[in-house]
Structures are given as structure tokens and as C-alpha cells.
Amino acid sequence: MHAVRIRRGSYRSFGRQLQDLNEINVHDLFGFQLDDFQLEAIKHLEENRSVVVCAPTGAGKTVIAEYAVEMALRSNKRCYYTTPLKALSNQKLNDFKKKYGEDRVGLLTGDISINREAPIVVMTTEVFRNMLYGTILGDVTRNLRDVAFVILDECHYMNDTERGTVWEESIIYAPKNIQLVALSATVANAAELTTWIDETHGPTGLVLSDFRPVPLRFHYFGDRHIYPLLSPGKGVNTLLKSRFGTKKSAHKDRKRRSGPVLGASPNDVLAVLSGRNMLPAIYFLFSRRGCEESMKRARGIPLINLSEQAELKEVIASFTKDHPNLLNHPHLPYLFEGMSVHHAGMLPSWKGLVEKLFQRGLLKVVFATETLAAGINMPARSTVISSIYKRADEGHRELTASEFLQMSGRAGRRGMDEVGHVVVLHHPFEPVEDAAKLATSPADPLSSRFTPSYGMVLNLLERHTLEDARDLIERSFGQFLVNQQLEPLFEQKMTWEKELERLQSPLCPTEIGDLPLYARRLETIRSKHKQLKQMERGLRGTPKQDPAAEQALGAVHTEINGLLEEAYGMPCHGCPVQKPCSKQTDRIAQLEKRIKEFDRRIHKETTKYWRTFESLANILRLKGYLDGNRPTALGRMATGIRGTNELFLTEVAVSGLLDHLDPPQMSAVLTALVTEDSRSHEQSRFRVSPQVELVLGEINTLARKLYRTQRELDVDISVSFSPTFSGLTEMWAQGSTWDDIRMSTSFDEGDVVRAFRRTLDLCRQFIRAPGMKQEIVDICNAAEVLLARDEVKENF
């Protein structure tokens, strides 16, 4: 592994060193002088190494990706650009089309293929992982023909609880002749990540940079004023400690957020930011409701001028002409005032409009949940962080350093702002010291989310032997981190083994005896003496001799004499080094016990992922998806289906329960299968049809059986499903308009669209799954046509 940490201006001579290396004139290519870390990354690429680049948001990591694209094009090779989100994929698709022309750029999703043989193909990381498996996306060799580079944008998504495994699998399975370009925000253990890629994939360089082209300035807002958060020494501003410090920390142990939050008013915040020329801003809150309420409270503040108002009206009029369903959107009046909200509950088309207006500078504030921090390119002059605590699965908790950094990193627009502003709002239950600590904390380390699944087992065994599959599983980043953690213990074990080897040399000058056996004999003799004394005490005071008792006493005497004779004859009896020999024997026993316990722990830790893999394989064999170590026809069908539990989805598909449904009913059932929402479906006014209710009842029986099987074999993969959105899907497939859907439920529109699109995705998977029954394929084909319209149809 080759690692370099770069700081701004650390060595300008480095650029001159690259002049002889670069086949491409970087200044002509980009039109500006590159920073040192960008040049160092390019050097790794030119020397046929993969590269991991860790730098702050907005530092210019994309330049390195674009250079890799140029290298591929100049050598008549191809380049894949992967992103974690479809929105990011669409953005990169449009960027590349503008730069290289539509004929040289393609897009590949699980559902849509546009110019997939183009020299530049954009896709989500899941699609790239699935391409490596082969399956319904085609032969692996064909998929990767002439591909020289794969760019893994936003590689820090490896930390994502649900999806992080995709990045690990992509790196493990990627052919070693492909150069990987892993672009990540700042993480604490970048060196570990690079070492793992270097060992797993091939020679890999690491470039670290803490340089931000637009430096950040941290502020604290309280009592309608804005203050510097940090002192010159990077500690908390002493003025803030006296004014907003820990004087109210006693409230911290109260049940948090039981009533209304008494934080700063968004009106006051925006008024101050506007007066100090710190707009546009992204105003982060941690609930959708909070975003909506803050926007309503901020209404009435003059944010845009007359020319911006006129341009806004023109853009919005053009957009609503193409999307007439947005004409009655309740947030439309706020757009004309230069503000909006952005969260996962919004319609995708509406979010697209908000993003477009913000990027053009026509919106001055967007109230957003933190999902925007990891989403598309929407930098602002300022970011406002409304709270340093958030609600999570484990309750209210403080933001992690990486979460705070990700939101902060949205501040400062390169080429537009000299400085980016991060404003933390005062809250009575959140000490200002905690805010200062977050502002100066380093990023969190990447952890592993590698998770064997039914699909992984089937796809690996379709193309690999069991031994090769095990090798791939044991090359995960998770296993690498475990091995790193165990390394000190391995060293301790080696020390024990050396000591044990040294202790094997006997201390006895003559014949070597069995000291433990000798000690056991002496212990037995002592025990027999105690027994003899107890028997003699029991016979005291007895007037007559008891022949049986006398005989028993004699037998014990004889046994003791025999044991004594045996002990006296042992080499250890009378040995001059018996005491040190005894200590040596005890130490040997202690060391052997420790080594044995360590070996058990090592086996448990180093085989965790493989044991899960084997348990999944055993269930697949029980269910007829594997014959030995090869997928059966059922197994090959399951390789074409993706989901939380591919076995469960395939079991439903082949059960016969779906064969006689009509397309709207099929849509409703598939929605239940892709929904694990715990909310009551009573929120929807429309229940599913009786036939769908009947099928869902039978599916529940299937789910319980599979759950019991999994529990018996110690497998913990969700077998849940929910009809939360099923009634709405059935309505939509029966031809209802989007206004009908919106008026029939209290769910956020974005959640409904997401459920419909996931249904559509599973529908297409059933169509393409190898060996799927024709009846199912025909119904799903019809359902696809009914579902893929208006808001649900994705536009590229």
C-alpha cells in the first residue's frame, strides 16, 4: 500500500514531478491548476494502481474520477461510474452527457438499460455488484468487457447499516485487472481500508487530504445573535460558556423532547443570516414535520429580489406545465418566497424542482432532513444545524462526528464563496461545549456491514466451488477488521507457545516421572486416610467386635498400602526438584488451557461469516434450492431476485398463491412483500380486495414456517412483510389518478411513490427471473404497464 497525506502547499514541486508521467495534459483537460492531492491520486492511476482518496466534501475528488474516465477513453477502454443513489446517478449521467455527448454515455439500473455498451456507464453500486454476480444482468465476462476503471463514488457508504455490504462485495468480486477509484469523505481508518483493498484486490495507493478549497467557519446562534463557536485555540468560545454553557445541564437527564422544542425561531435565524449575507442556506432538522413547521414559521421574510421572483415564476410555470399534478402542491406558495423543504417524504418530481431552483440560486433556504447531506450536489453558503441530538433506533443520541461533518461539508461553494458558514442553534438542553467538541472532532472510522444472504450463497455457488466461495467470504472487510483486532492476541499466543516449548524440558536429572499422576496418588492416599479415621471413630464405643466392620477396615488398610507402594515406586517420590517441577507442571497446564481457550475464540471470530454462509446453505438444501453445493432450477430462479430475504420471495413466487391473481391484485401482494413498515395500514382509507387478503393470509403461513426453520439453524434474516401500502397500490393499478391516491391516505407522497417503485422493481425481477412460471410472468408484465406511469415512472 502506498500512502501519502497531502496538505495545501505542502510541496508544489510534486506537480513538476508529474509532468513526465502524465499522458494527458491536466491543465488543458480541466482548465485550472490541480491541487496536490489530486495530482498524487493521478500519479497512482498512471502507475497502474487503484487508489483510495479521502478528502473533505467539496475538495474536488470528482476531478480524479474524471481523469480516470479520460484515461479509459484515451486507451479505447471503458469506465464504470457507480454512485449510492439513483439521484446521483442521474446527475452524473447528465454531467457526462454534456461533456462527452449522449452516444458515449450510458445508464444501467436494475430496470432500465440505456446505451449499456457505451464507453462510460453510470450505475448504482448495487447494479455493479449484481453485474459481478452475472444473473439476469448478463454474463460477467460480457458485462466487464474492456472495463479498465470502476469509480466507487461516496465509498464511505460502506458504513450504511442496510447497504454497506454492497461496497464490500463489489471490491471483493471485482476482477483484479480493473483499477478501482474509491472516493470517500474523511474517515478515521482510511489506511485500514486501503490495506484491505490492497490485499483483496491489488496494488492500491492512499491519498489523504484535509484541505478544503472553501474553509469553514463555525458559529453559534442564540438569543437572536450569532457568535463564533470556537476560540482561536479551537476550544469553545469562553463567552458562550458563560452565556449558554452547562448552567442548564440538569435538564439533560429529563425525558428528552417530551414537549415542544424551545430552540431558536427560524424567522430569527434567517433574518440574521440574510442581514449578514450568509444565504443561501440548508437548514437541517431531524424530522419531516420539523422541516414543514420551520418553513411555515419562516414565511414572510423577504429573501429574493424582483428579478429573482420573475425568474422563479418562469421556471415554475415551465415545470408545472410538464408536471400538472404539482399545480396544487401545498408548498408552491413558499417557492415564490424563495424557500422550500426537502426530505424523503416529498414527491421525486417536487424534489427535482427544489434541487434545480436551489442550484440556480433562486431558493435562499431549504429546510431539509440529513438525507440531503449525503445526497446530490447542493452546496450552499451556509448550513444550519438545528440540534446536535437526533432520534435514532436506540432513542435520542448525540450526532456522530461523521454526521456532523457530512452536514457541515455542504457549506461553501467552490468558486463562489470565500468561506462556508456552519451555524449551530442554541438549545436549552444541549450544552454549547458539546457543539464545539463536534466541530473539532475527527471523523469516525468505517466499520463493516458485510452480511451473507441467500442471494450471495446461490450466486457464489453458481460460479465458484465451495472452497473458492469460502475464500471470497473470508476476504471481507469485516473479517479483515476482526483479524486486525486479533493481531495482539496472536502475538500473545506466540509468546505462550514459546514459553510452553521452553517448559517442556524436564527438570529431573534422572528418570522423568509423571508428576500429576504422583500428585493424584498422594491425594487419593490422603482421602483414604480420612475415610479410615471416620470409620474408626464410628466403631468407638461398640461393645462387641463387628466382623463386617473389621473386614471393611482391613480392606481400606490394604488399599492404602497398595497406593503407598505404588507412590514409593514412582520416579517423582523423593525427587530433589519436585517443588519446582510441580510449579512447572502447573504452568504448563495453565498455558495449555489458555491456548485452547484462545483457539476456540479465534475459531469463533474468524469463522463468523462462514458459519452464517453454511447455515444459509443448509436451509437452501432443505428447501431444494441447492443440490449439494450447486444451485438447482429453483436456486437459479432465486439468483434473479433481490431483496432482504430472497428465499422468502421465491417461495411465494413458486407457491401457486399468485397464479390466479389479476394484475392489480398481484401489484398489491408484491407491495406487501417489499414493505416492512410497522405502521398500521388503517391509515389508508382503502383496504385490499378479499382475494388479496386471502393470499396475504397464506403468505403469512409461509413466513412463519420459514422463520421457524431459520431459528432452528440460527439464521437471523427478516421474513416480515406488510400490507401498509397494498390498498393504495391496488387503487393505482386499477387506474386511479395521483390526486385520488393523495386524497386517500395520510402517508407522505414520497413514501407512497417509493413503495410503488419498489413494487415495480420486484415485478420486473419476477419477469426476468430464470425459470419463473409463465403465468406469473404474464401477470407481472400487465402489472408493470399499469404501475409505470405519471409520478411512479422514473425519467432519465
Side-chain angles (χ1 to χ4, degrees), residues 652-711:
V652 172
V654 301
S655 65
L657 295 172
L658 311 181
D659 295 5
H660 304 293
L661 298 177
D662 63 29
Q665 292 168 346
M666 174 69 85
S667 302
V669 172
L670 295 187
T671 296
L673 293 178
V674 297
T675 305
E676 297 177 25
D677 199 305
S678 59
R679 293 174 290 184
S680 169
H681 59 289
E682 295 299 328
Q683 278 186 268
S684 172
R685 295 182 193 174
F686 287 81
R687 298 180 64 85
V688 294
S689 61
Q691 182 65 22
V692 173
E693 285 277 14
L694 184 64
V695 170
L696 291 177
E698 294 297 325
I699 289 174
N700 191 45
T701 302
L702 280 177
R704 287 201 306 269
K705 287 180 181 177
L706 180 55
Y707 174 76
R708 284 195 295 269
T709 302
Q710 289 188 166
R711 188 174 57 184

Side-chain angles (χ1 to χ4, degrees), residues 13-137:
S13 61
F14 181 70
R16 292 192 294 274
Q17 296 173 20
L18 274 178
Q19 287 177 0
D20 295 331
L21 277 173
N22 292 348
E23 296 177 6
I24 305 168
N25 188 309
V26 292
H27 189 275
D28 289 349
L29 178 61
F30 297 107
F32 54 84
Q33 178 64 44
L34 298 192
D35 294 318
D36 288 332
F37 85 93
Q38 295 166 330
L39 294 172
E40 170 64 10
I42 287 171
K43 182 173 182 287
H44 285 303
L45 295 178
E46 291 281 3
E47 294 177 351
N48 297 316
R49 284 191 290 270
S50 296
V51 65
V52 173
V53 183
C54 290
T57 302
K61 296 186 290 290
T62 304
V63 165
I64 299 155
E66 291 175 354
Y67 190 87
V69 171
E70 287 288 341
M71 286 182 69
L73 295 178
R74 299 289 177 100
S75 56
N76 292 318
K77 298 291 184 181
R78 304 172 67 216
C79 179
Y80 284 170
Y81 195 110
T82 75
T83 75
L85 305 169
K86 284 186 177 180
L88 276 172
S89 292
N90 292 341
Q91 192 173 69
K92 293 310 299 184
L93 176 72
N94 292 327
D95 291 345
F96 284 139
K97 278 182 176 179
K98 289 176 185 175
K99 185 169 185 177
Y100 298 107
E102 291 198 14
D103 60 321
R104 303 184 80 184
V105 184
L107 177 74
L108 191 60
T109 73
D111 316 319
I112 296 172
S113 176
I114 301 173
N115 198 16
R116 66 177 290 169
E117 302 297 332
I120 308 165
V121 183
V122 183
M123 64 191 73
T124 59
T125 316
E126 276 89 349
V127 170
F128 177 63
R129 186 274 312 270
N130 294 337
M131 291 178 74
L132 295 172
Y133 279 143
T135 65
I136 59 174
L137 290 175

Side-chain angles (χ1 to χ4, degrees), residues 9 64 131 136 163 181 186 297 333 347 437 451 555 607 638 670 689 701 762:
I64 299 155
M131 291 178 74
I136 59 174
R163 301 172 59 211
V181 183
T186 308
R297 291 171 66 190
L347 280 174
K437 181 181 175 183
T451 311
T607 61
L670 295 187
S689 61
T701 302
L762 183 58

Side-chain angles (χ1 to χ4, degrees), residues 755-780:
F756 289 2
R757 287 182 174 178
R758 293 184 69 189
T759 302
L760 191 56
D761 182 49
L762 183 58
C763 190
R764 288 165 174 161
Q765 289 179 48
F766 276 14
I767 292 169
R768 298 170 186 170
M772 182 64 71
K773 288 190 289 187
Q774 192 58 47
E775 297 94 328
I776 301 292
V777 172
D778 292 342
I779 301 169
C780 286

Side-chain angles (χ1 to χ4, degrees), residues 330-399:
H331 292 171
L332 202 57
Y334 299 93
L335 282 187
F336 291 112
E337 295 191 28
M339 65 180 71
S340 186
V341 299
H342 190 291
H343 57 66
M346 308 299 296
L347 280 174
S349 57
W350 181 263
K351 285 197 294 184
L353 174 60
V354 170
E355 291 158 9
K356 181 179 179 180
L357 293 175
F358 192 82
Q359 288 163 353
R360 291 180 61 167
L362 298 176
L363 294 184
K364 301 305 178 182
V365 61
V366 170
F367 298 91
T369 55
E370 62 181 318
T371 53
L372 181 61
I376 66 164
N377 181 28
M378 274 182 64
R381 179 167 294 165
S382 302
T383 59
V384 178
I385 299 176
S386 62
S387 172
I388 58 171
Y389 280 78
K390 62 180 279 191
R391 185 183 298 277
D393 293 339
E394 63 272 25
H396 274 95
R397 64 163 176 82
E398 190 175 28
L399 296 177

